[in-house]
Amino acid sequence: MALTLDLAAVVSTTLEGIFYGFSVFMFGVTLYILNQNSRRLDRRVNYKMIAVSYALLACSTAHMVIDIIRICNGLIYQRDVFPGGPVAFFSQPSETTFIAKNIVYLFQTLLGDGVLIYRCYVVWQSWLIVAFPIVMWLWIGIVSAIAIHSSATVPEGAGTVFLTRVGQWITAFYASTLATNFIVTILLGYKIWQTNRRTSRMRQSSLLPVVRVIADAGLLYSITLTAALACFVQKSNGQYIVLDVITPIISITFYMVIIRVGLATTSRSHEHSVSTVPGTHGRSLSHGGGRVLTVGELESQTLPMNRLQVHITKMRETDRSTLEADNDLSSDLDRKMGGTAI
């Protein structure tokens, strides 16, 4: 059975709603991680990343609302009024809700790609490295603006986005976004891997999990963009489904980097917060059922008046190749790179 446009609209809105629910949940967890990390590290809350989180949520919400309105108009309110019925309604490139949802998608794409390029700049600390991605980012904005304008000026009944001049600009948009995401993700992963290799002898923990987090987020977004581009090139109505799913996925990829690294950092911090007392035959000093005593509890305990040595070591490494300004990758890198975190 062929995938008709009205069926594609129902399926795409349903899937978008599911992914939107995940993104809202991850948004809440992201705010919690950002606030907890600021308290744990005793530093100011990163309001820039919080603002980006709210902006992405606003875009996802606006896109979801527009799609619901579009479904209601096409299948209920204008079903018997629009010439050609629901299929013609959903195939019209200049329809108001179609233009509105694409404007939201454009803004969210530029925001998500902009944050990715910003992370790359803070890691490398070089405008030369991010010069080409910035040019690509500007090109994406220009191409998408032309595509939206071309779509808005298509006469009613002139055909779908596949049959009009809008198609070439949409293809260019997908290809440019995919290339930019791929290049910046490779640059980020390579720099962190290089730093980890250079500093591996001076640290106990590895930065490779950070590379995996960035790679996973980039892979998820790239797979979605590749599917959208393939569907569009094949003139498949499945591209409408992928297009609606991309919007919450952009938010999810942003949130997942903060959440996964934040949780890993919190776990490592908890492990290092426990002090052990030498002289207990390799065991940590315990109290009441084997619970490990922390430094504060040691001070409040009545200990034997024997000579006791407590060794406390606190190590803190920082590296400019991370983005501490973002608070979403709090892994420590090389001191030479200025102490920012991804």
Side-chain angles (χ1 to χ4, degrees), residues 175-300:
S176 301
T177 305
L178 179 61
T180 303
N181 180 78
F182 180 78
I183 292 172
V184 177
T185 300
I186 292 295
L187 289 174
L188 269 171
Y190 172 75
K191 183 61 177 178
I192 298 175
W193 172 82
Q194 184 186 55
T195 302
N196 179 75
R197 184 180 180 183
R198 189 173 64 249
T199 62
S200 59
R201 295 182 179 179
M202 298 180 290
R203 58 168 58 245
Q204 294 180 348
S205 59
S206 173
L207 295 174
L208 293 182
V210 179
V211 178
R212 286 195 293 268
V213 169
I214 294 175
D216 289 345
L219 184 63
L220 175 61
Y221 188 38
S222 296
I223 289 176
T224 311
L225 285 173
T226 302
L229 179 60
C231 289
F232 194 86
V233 170
Q234 294 298 320
K235 295 181 173 57
S236 170
N237 290 334
Q239 77 96 15
Y240 291 100
I241 297 177
V242 182
L243 176 62
D244 287 345
V245 170
I246 286 179
T247 305
I249 284 181
I250 293 175
S251 301
I252 289 173
T253 54
F254 174 80
Y255 300 146
M256 70 183 291
V257 174
I258 299 177
I259 293 172
R260 290 179 61 182
V261 178
L263 291 176
T265 303
T266 301
S267 177
R268 290 196 303 267
S269 176
H270 178 71
E271 292 174 359
H272 290 294
S273 67
V274 178
S275 297
T276 59
V277 179
T280 56
H281 304 288
R283 295 174 298 172
S284 300
L285 185 65
S286 61
H287 177 269
R291 186 173 58 85
V292 178
L293 292 175
T294 62
V295 174
E297 292 170 325
L298 281 172
E299 295 175 348
S300 64

Side-chain angles (χ1 to χ4, degrees), residues 1 7 20 32 35 60 68 77 81 87 109 146 162 177 184-185 191 205 226 261 283 288 297 299 331:
M1 182 180 67
L7 177 59
Y20 173 74
Y32 174 79
N35 281 282
S60 299
I68 293 174
Y77 301 122
V81 178
V87 174
T109 298
I146 294 175
F162 303 117
T177 305
V184 177
T185 300
K191 183 61 177 178
S205 59
T226 302
V261 178
R283 295 174 298 172
E297 292 170 325
E299 295 175 348
S331 302

